[in-house]
Amino acid sequence: MRSLGSFFKPGAIARYCRNAEELRDTVGAVANVVESRGQLLDAVSLYQLAANCRPRTQSYYQIAAGIMNYLLTDLVAPDSSGTMSQTFTRAIGRPNREEVLRLATQLAQRLRESGPYSSNGLDQSTQESPSGIRTLFYLLDLAAFFDLVETEQWQTAMDHMDQLGLFPSNAKPAHIDAKINLFTQLPDCIRHPLPTALLALMRCLVAIATKHMCSSGSPKNIETGADLTLTTIRNRAKALVTYVGRIPFRLPGDIYARLTQMHMELM
């Protein structure tokens, strides 16, 4: 992946432009051509350059975020590279997950540092930002969750998902209803990796329960001192299964079967 600096040598383009607006539009036009050729990572870098030209134009950041969301939706889970759609791989090849995440993280950092996305902290600023930018932060958080699961940091992964707030953390009907309502508002880019995320979260519950049952210590204070009794874990698993059965989304049959199997293991 090229860095921003490799695209732009100070003064190389500006000398041919009469003002900053013309410079910004020129870089934006080049980014559009690069994007149309399927060089999406390069296009993201160029759109960021265009956005940084004064006066800054947030629309270029939004375009860059939209491209990153398209790339990330098939890459947030570490093992998803083998299940990419044929249309996706024909269009842009098979991108490297680490490379895409690195560029997406850089873009997210620039968004935090610029414009309306940085003034009041991540939660409020992303809530007020355009939907494509909110989606970018969601996808990066999901990628972080999957990485925690891959390294078997079960409790930390579950805490991270609880902070993200996508899935129910208890079996109270009102709580589950709220998460179902949230699901109906999510864009497809976020919905796409959620079946795998549900499976990973259930893995966390099973792993913590197994450690709990094998431990000779107190039924509380699993790993980090969280008040996760075996009953609590079972209730959380039940809430996930209830949630899966009620969301307006058809899960792949193998994932639903594995979720049900792991739920039964906890009973």
Side-chain angles (χ1 to χ4, degrees):
M1 180 184 67
R2 302 180 188 180
S3 65
L4 292 177
S6 65
F7 277 109
F8 187 57
K9 184 177 181 180
I13 300 177
R15 71 179 66 180
Y16 301 106
C17 300
R18 290 169 293 184
N19 51 53
E21 289 82 358
E22 188 172 308
L23 172 61
R24 180 194 62 213
D25 293 343
T26 299
V27 176
V30 173
N32 185 264
V33 171
V34 171
E35 179 187 358
S36 68
R37 293 175 177 173
Q39 299 169 259
L40 299 186
L41 294 180
D42 288 347
V44 168
S45 295
L46 285 166
Y47 280 124
Q48 290 183 74
L49 276 178
N52 286 334
C53 294
R54 296 185 181 278
R56 293 191 174 188
T57 303
Q58 298 301 327
S59 61
Y60 284 123
Y61 275 134
Q62 294 169 28
I63 295 172
I67 296 173
M68 289 309 310
N69 294 341
Y70 172 73
L71 292 168
L72 281 172
T73 189
D74 274 314
L75 293 171
V76 288
D79 59 350
S80 62
S81 59
T83 59
M84 292 181 188
S85 67
Q86 292 183 357
T87 302
F88 183 90
T89 54
R90 279 199 301 266
I92 63 171
R94 191 174 295 275
N96 178 272
R97 180 178 185 268
E98 288 70 26
E99 184 179 6
V100 172
L101 284 176
R102 183 167 58 252
L103 185 58
T105 302
Q106 291 172 356
L107 174 59
Q109 184 61 37
R110 286 178 176 270
L111 289 168
R112 289 191 182 100
E113 295 170 351
S114 68
Y117 316 122
S118 61
S119 57
N120 297 307
L122 179 59
D123 291 340
Q124 183 173 345
S125 61
T126 54
Q127 182 66 28
E128 296 171 352
S129 64
S131 60
I133 293 173
R134 290 199 302 271
T135 298
L136 175 65
F137 285 109
Y138 263 122
L139 290 173
L140 284 173
D141 277 331
L142 280 171
F145 164 73
F146 282 117
D147 288 341
L148 289 168
V149 174
E150 283 296 299
T151 55
E152 299 185 359
Q153 299 181 60
W154 310 117
Q155 184 65 54
T156 304
M158 196 161 66
D159 291 343
H160 184 81
M161 182 57 76
D162 286 348
Q163 291 177 0
L164 191 53
L166 288 172
F167 301 137
S169 58
N170 63 67
K172 294 179 180 178
H175 179 65
I176 295 175
D177 288 344
K179 298 307 178 183
I180 293 171
N181 182 59
L182 172 62
F183 179 88
T184 63
Q185 302 173 41
L186 295 174
D188 289 340
C189 281
I190 298 177
R191 289 187 185 190
H192 180 73
L194 288 191
T196 310
L198 281 164
L199 195 61
L201 185 56
M202 189 69 86
R203 281 182 60 199
C204 293
L205 291 172
V206 171
I208 294 173
T210 300
K211 184 173 182 178
H212 175 282
M213 290 183 286
C214 293
S215 173
S216 58
S218 168
K220 295 186 179 182
N221 300 325
I222 306 171
E223 289 194 14
T224 61
D227 186 15
L228 275 178
T229 64
L230 191 56
T231 299
T232 302
I233 294 171
R234 287 170 174 164
N235 284 337
R236 290 190 62 141
K238 178 182 178 181
L240 284 182
V241 172
T242 302
Y243 170 84
V244 166
R246 293 182 55 193
I247 56 174
F249 188 84
R250 187 176 182 84
L251 267 69
D254 61 327
I255 288 183
Y256 186 80
R258 291 168 67 186
L259 282 172
T260 304
Q261 179 184 1
M262 285 191 285
H263 179 222
M264 294 304 297
E265 291 175 8
L266 292 171
M267 295 298 102

